[in-house]
């Protein structure tokens, strides 16, 4: 676990962000915050939070989007000699043992070239993403994951080209997973819920896209279908 850091992308985080950040800091030796040009009051708050050891804060002077911020975080993780990173949205409330659970599941999978996400409670729908009937399983293979709670290998993420910055926000996570699969990676999700997460318009906007990714194509075909669908939408 000491070789894993957290990356959180922020944009005008709410007043309870400090509580969510504290849960991450209790588990990760370093939390990297990439802020996409928050307003001055939120920026002041972030600066105070970042004074605590184990926090690295990077401010962008303009909103560069989710993908660019994630790539900045991955570069910071590499420069700080972390082999693994877990990416998060600013609104995600993690369990006290999220990192330990993800590491245990990753070890149980027993493969290299893996991306691993975590099951979560959808705050709006008030139910878990992976249904309760599957909780006896440790993990499931998936086509894609959401950004928040995704455990990624740092150097491999860079080698894959990182997150695609021209998508700015919508479907950044799905595209990255499909590209990884097209390059021989397997994508899994831990069945145990490890966080609470609000799925807002960011993911709703990409729902149509799942129609194109859900057919039984090869990962390579899935990737190009998804890329071309999104690029021309």
């Amino acid at each position: 676990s000491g070789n894993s850091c957290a990356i959180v992308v922020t944009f005008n985080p709410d007043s309870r962000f400090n509580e969510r950040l504290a849960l991450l800091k209790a588990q990760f030796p370093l939390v990297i915050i990439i802020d996409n040009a928050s307003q001055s009051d939120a920026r002041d708050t972030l600066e105070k939070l970042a004074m605590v050891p184990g926090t690295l804060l990077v401010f962008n002077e303009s909103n560069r989007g989710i993908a660019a911020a994630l790539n900045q975080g991955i570069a910071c993780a590499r420069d700080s000699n972390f082999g693994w990173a877990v990416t998060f949205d600013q609104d995600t409330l993690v369990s006290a043992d999220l990192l330990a659970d993800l590491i245990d599941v990753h070890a149980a999978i027993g493969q290299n070239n893996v991306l691993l996400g975590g099951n979560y409670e959808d705050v709006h729908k008030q139910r878990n993403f992976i249904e309760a009937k599957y909780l006896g399983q440790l993990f499931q293979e998936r086509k894609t994951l959401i950004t928040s709670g995704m455990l990624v290998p740092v150097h491999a993420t860079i080698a894959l080209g990182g997150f695609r910055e021209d998508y700015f926000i919508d479907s950044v996570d799905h595209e990255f997973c499909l590209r990884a699969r097209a390059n021989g990676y397997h994508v899994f999700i831990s069945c145990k819920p490890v966080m609470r997460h609000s799925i807002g318009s960011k993911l709703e906007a990409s729902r149509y896209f799942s129609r194109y990714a859900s057919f039984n194509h090869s990962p390579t075909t899935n990737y190009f279908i998804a890329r071309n669908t999104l690029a021309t939408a």
Side-chain angles (χ1 to χ4, degrees), residues 213-227:
S214 61
F215 299 114
N216 192 25
H217 297 302
S218 72
T220 305
T221 306
N222 263 335
Y223 167 62
F224 284 110
I225 290 173
R227 188 196 68 174

Side-chain angles (χ1 to χ4, degrees), residues 17-91:
F17 176 72
N18 62 324
E19 299 171 32
R20 298 190 292 272
L21 178 63
L23 283 165
L24 291 174
K25 290 177 67 64
Q27 300 179 58
F28 291 88
L30 178 66
V31 179
I32 300 165
I33 302 172
I34 308 293
D35 184 76
N36 263 332
S38 287
Q39 295 170 353
S40 58
D41 53 344
R43 183 169 175 153
D44 290 344
T45 300
L46 286 170
E47 285 180 334
K48 288 173 185 162
L49 293 175
M51 290 179 183
V52 180
T55 313
L56 175 63
L57 177 60
V58 177
F59 278 122
N60 289 328
E61 294 302 321
S62 62
N63 188 345
R64 297 185 58 191
I66 294 287
L70 288 171
N71 287 338
Q72 287 176 276
I74 291 291
C76 290
R78 175 200 60 201
D79 294 345
S80 299
N81 297 314
F82 285 95
W84 298 87
V86 186
T87 57
F88 293 99
D89 293 342
Q90 64 184 12
D91 297 329

Side-chain angles (χ1 to χ4, degrees), residues 91 120-129 195-204 207:
D91 297 329
Y120 58 91
E121 179 190 348
D122 187 325
V123 174
H124 296 310
K125 295 180 180 177
Q126 295 187 316
R127 61 178 173 82
N128 290 330
F129 176 70
M195 56 191 176
R196 298 184 74 220
H197 186 72
S198 300
I199 299 293
S201 57
K202 181 177 73 146
L203 256 75
E204 297 293 327
R207 276 209 172 154

Side-chain angles (χ1 to χ4, degrees), residues 58-172:
V58 177
F59 278 122
N60 289 328
E61 294 302 321
S62 62
N63 188 345
R64 297 185 58 191
I66 294 287
L70 288 171
N71 287 338
Q72 287 176 276
I74 291 291
C76 290
R78 175 200 60 201
D79 294 345
S80 299
N81 297 314
F82 285 95
W84 298 87
V86 186
T87 57
F88 293 99
D89 293 342
Q90 64 184 12
D91 297 329
T92 301
L93 178 68
V94 303
S95 68
D97 51 3
L98 171 141
L99 180 57
D101 285 339
L102 290 181
I103 289 172
D104 286 348
V105 171
H106 192 279
I109 291 169
Q111 298 181 31
N112 294 321
N113 296 352
V114 165
L115 305 181
L116 177 63
N119 192 10
Y120 58 91
E121 179 190 348
D122 187 325
V123 174
H124 296 310
K125 295 180 180 177
Q126 295 187 316
R127 61 178 173 82
N128 290 330
F129 176 70
I130 300 291
E131 299 170 34
K133 65 182 178 181
Y134 296 113
L135 297 187
Q137 301 176 19
L138 272 179
F139 54 85
Q140 289 181 359
E141 189 156 11
R142 306 288 302 180
K143 287 188 170 61
T144 64
L145 302 166
I146 62 169
T147 303
S148 213
M150 182 163 60
L151 176 69
V152 299
V154 171
H155 289 280
T157 297
I158 294 168
L160 285 166
F163 295 86
R164 193 167 154 168
E165 298 187 11
D166 56 334
Y167 285 173
F168 196 76
I169 181 166
D170 282 334
S171 299
V172 166

